[in-house]
Amino acid sequence: MAETFVIAQGGGPTAVINQTVVGATLEARRKFPGCTVLGALHGVRGVRDGRFVTLSDLKEDELRAVAATPSAALGSTRDKPDAAYCEAILKGLQQAGADAFIYIGGNDTAGTQGILSEAAGGRIACVHAPKTIDNDLVENDHTPGFISAAEFVAGAFLSVDLDFRALPGIYVGIVMGRHAGFLTASAAAWSLDEDSGPHIVYVPERAFERVRFIEDVRGTLDRHGRCIVAMSEGVATADGRSLVETLVPPELQERDPHGNIRLSGTALGQAIERILAEDLAGTRARVDTFGYLPRGNVATINETDAREAYEAGTFAVEAAEKGGGSVALQFDGKKTVCGLVPLEAVAGKTRHMPADFLHPDENRVSDTCLDYLRRLVPRKYAVAKPFA
Amino acid sequence: MAETFVIAQGGGPTAVINQTVVGATLEARRKFPGCTVLGALHGVRGVRDGRFVTLSDLKEDELRAVAATPSAALGSTRDKPDAAYCEAILKGLQQAGADAFIYIGGNDTAGTQGILSEAAGGRIACVHAPKTIDNDLVENDHTPGFISAAEFVAGAFLSVDLDFRALPGIYVGIVMGRHAGFLTASAAAWSLDEDSGPHIVYVPERAFERVRFIEDVRGTLDRHGRCIVAMSEGVATADGRSLVETLVPPELQERDPHGNIRLSGTALGQAIERILAEDLAGTRARVDTFGYLPRGNVATINETDAREAYEAGTFAVEAAEKGGGSVALQFDGKKTVCGLVPLEAVAGKTRHMPADFLHPDENRVSDTCLDYLRRLVPRKYAVAKPFA
């Protein structure tokens, strides 16, 4: 079997994506003493351009230090290779003498591996290892990187809820997530009781309506004396247009080369701030855009997440021995295990929140969703109920 | 001496303000067995309205749980009492039978205590215990609450810098701070080396100029391939007007009853985003408003901060025995100690960053500032230098 492994990281970094690189490197070295493990710089771009680091030359303690470091140590890329680009990648892999290529990323990454696998015709084992804070990969119970990001969001909303008990008002926290609301929903994971925020949760899976939003906020203020809202950046109105698109003036909208509107800006927050100022004038209202803070935060690297990301790396080596495929984190009813699924089962598909993760009538998460979140991200801190 | 203590919390919550309440309560009970300790709900408003919790009735383990909880458990207030309000507070204290009043807050709180102390004519010992994430109290080396908030900011910038090494671009993180730049400066506390962000730091103490800003960003992109900026919400232009005031259209500006412009919004972030889109078109740029995330975050409660806040509470009881005053955290060259200073020494004054905390020619912090920050907030996590 494989004696030269190439590993790359793609898409947005996470707090634990380096664990997967190091898990794969150490496992390859254990199983194939004397093997070469090359880390490509900036994803498939590094493979194409022949820019590699020889990971197998590093000592174990150096590798363990990399594993504990958040963000993608090899660098990443947003490139979505077309056929010609894939050919160049394949050439790069061949020049590097690769027997296996492990690419860590989301569903786009699985898609790239599907194309490469076919083009390589079995000569190179192409493995996709999962990674995304969005938790939106099908075939996975959850994905490496999600739990750490969710821990940040859960802790932030617990904290902000306590803050707004002390000085009441409306708070809206806008959380990354274009198509799937898992990360935003995790705002509720550490809520203390029925009185706790987030009182309202808006995710891309549920249409946003301005009138209903204001009604919900008003009702929450009446009941709880404050109102904490968790909102996905990808929230859309019933016609399927993102809120950014409907609320932000066209001249302030930014689009990527694929025509997708950029969501990771302050525009949505500003629009929500304006809605609240107009429709609930006189009530203290604050809007924060969490942006990049949750996704690779050194302060909230979750141990379970780190271990599972490492195991996804070691399992990727086993997957390479079997000829390739997509590594998936599956739940066997008691614990998380790694499974191997076909690349085409994951490629290009988005896993949305199941319908029963949302309360049928109210804009908040269901008990089923809370059970899922609390299994993955149990509350880490003991907190006393405030007097006020 | 005092047998009935009243304690209240004022202004913005912090991660450790409850430590001070509990430190004072347990110390009062230790020194004066059988004493009554009343916690006023929502600061002086609760004193005025006679809304109290009897803290001395609680068991020690219940109090310890409160101490470990971020934000102000008694609730807080932004009220700045005038003479009539102060009279009502004094009446409330007298009705509660208070021998001492410990008010935990910033320089406004010290001011209120100054007025009350004079009005009480020695019958009630008025003590100000320090608290502010802004670190802007004179007579203090640093203030309880600052270190935890600084730890959040330091970790966030370390993390974002790693993120932007993986996927390069410009990042601007906007941090709370109207007049003092300490919290924003703490973005640099955990920087790994000369290549690390934040590469540019804008604080209220140094005038902002758009042309220079763009030059600085461009130069940083050339040198480092990415540019990480830490910016205080209170940054101002040379004429003394806040950037929010100069960049944000008047109809989007919000003012408090004192005429102060509201800084804690998304408006500045949006304005900076627009400047970057105009002057550096085509370069990936992201702006996040940290807002409320650093100030009472359960994930970054710093142990030193918690201990010092507790000690400020125990020392407040000693201060009450001495007739009142303002508790100050002082540095004796080796460690932090509590001192007692007159209320008028602290009241209404703002401590700015010393001039030598900023690089004379560049918009970044000096080594003197770094030494100070690293003494208070040593880096907590081992991080490996990325390959990319």
Side-chain angles (χ1 to χ4, degrees), chain A residues 42 69 71 73-76 159 162-163 166 262 264-266 270 273 284 286-288 291-292 295-296 298 384 387-388, chain B residues 42 69 71 73-76 159 162-163 166 262 264-266 270 273-274 284 286-288 291-292 295-296 298 384 387-388:
Chain A
H42 292 289
T69 301
S71 185
L74 293 167
S76 190
S159 305
L162 292 170
D163 194 307
R262 182 160 81 82
S264 57
T266 59
Q270 177 99 66
E273 217 167 54
R284 173 178 182 252
R286 301 290 182 261
V287 182
D288 287 332
Y292 291 81
R295 86 173 178 188
V298 72
F387 305 113
Chain B
H42 292 288
T69 300
S71 184
L74 294 168
S76 190
S159 305
L162 292 170
D163 194 307
R262 181 160 81 83
S264 58
T266 59
Q270 177 99 68
E273 216 167 57
R274 216 175 298 181
R284 173 179 182 251
R286 300 290 182 260
V287 182
D288 287 331
Y292 291 81
R295 86 171 179 191
V298 73
F387 306 111

Side-chain angles (χ1 to χ4, degrees), chain B residues 187-256:
Chain B
W190 291 2
S191 61
L192 299 177
D193 54 34
E194 286 296 307
D195 182 46
S196 298
H199 307 98
I200 308 176
V201 177
Y202 274 108
V203 293
E205 287 87 350
R206 175 74 62 87
F208 176 94
E209 203 199 332
R210 177 169 173 164
V211 174
R212 172 72 190 267
F213 171 58
I214 295 299
E215 270 171 23
D216 284 353
V217 171
R218 208 173 261 140
T220 306
L221 286 171
D222 286 347
R223 273 194 306 282
H224 301 283
R226 68 191 186 288
C227 178
I228 310 295
V229 183
M231 187 178 286
S232 294
E233 61 180 10
V235 160
T237 43
D239 59 3
R241 291 200 308 155
S242 75
L243 212 54
V244 173
E245 220 164 336
T246 59
L247 295 179
V248 177
E251 71 272 17
L252 296 181
Q253 294 176 11
E254 191 186 311
R255 288 176 189 275
D256 71 12

